[in-house]
Amino acid sequence: MFKSFIATALLAALSSTPVAAQKARRGEQDAAFQATRQGAVHSLRSIENDIVPEMKASGADYIGAEFDEENLSYRLKFMRGSKVIWLDVNGKNGAIIGKA
């Protein structure tokens, strides 16, 4: 009986985490869409078309992006071997503003 209680509690905890993450991601997507629609930033697709091919040529695999509504910037994430590379890109003009 104790095992089933633990399993139920663990399942409940794990199932709520993806929901919160999905809500946060949805808010990020909405912010990026609105900023693009208003002409405040370039679309993510446009940014990706400029940057991803160059990074792929250097041996990095693209794994995704995040939008920073406050700074109107994108963070593109890449993997090269076991290293993660983050490129911060100005959403207004597509220029790389940081790399980590």
Side-chain angles (χ1 to χ4, degrees), residues 19-31 44 64-67:
V19 171
Q22 286 176 343
K23 285 182 181 179
R25 180 74 175 149
R26 182 69 186 163
E28 178 184 309
Q29 289 173 342
D30 289 342
L44 176 58
E66 295 176 359
F67 180 69

Side-chain angles (χ1 to χ4, degrees), residues 53-89:
E54 183 179 324
M55 292 298 291
K56 281 192 177 245
S58 73
D61 294 318
Y62 182 57
I63 57 176
E66 295 176 359
F67 180 69
D68 181 349
E69 181 179 7
E70 186 175 318
N71 296 315
L72 297 177
S73 64
Y74 294 97
R75 174 167 281 172
L76 278 61
K77 300 173 189 177
F78 298 87
M79 290 283 300
R80 185 181 298 134
S82 62
K83 293 175 115 179
V84 176
I85 303 164
W86 292 346
L87 290 181
D88 292 329
V89 180

Side-chain angles (χ1 to χ4, degrees), residues 1-9:
M1 181 153 147
F2 183 71
K3 287 182 182 179
S4 66
F5 172 75
I6 295 294
T8 303

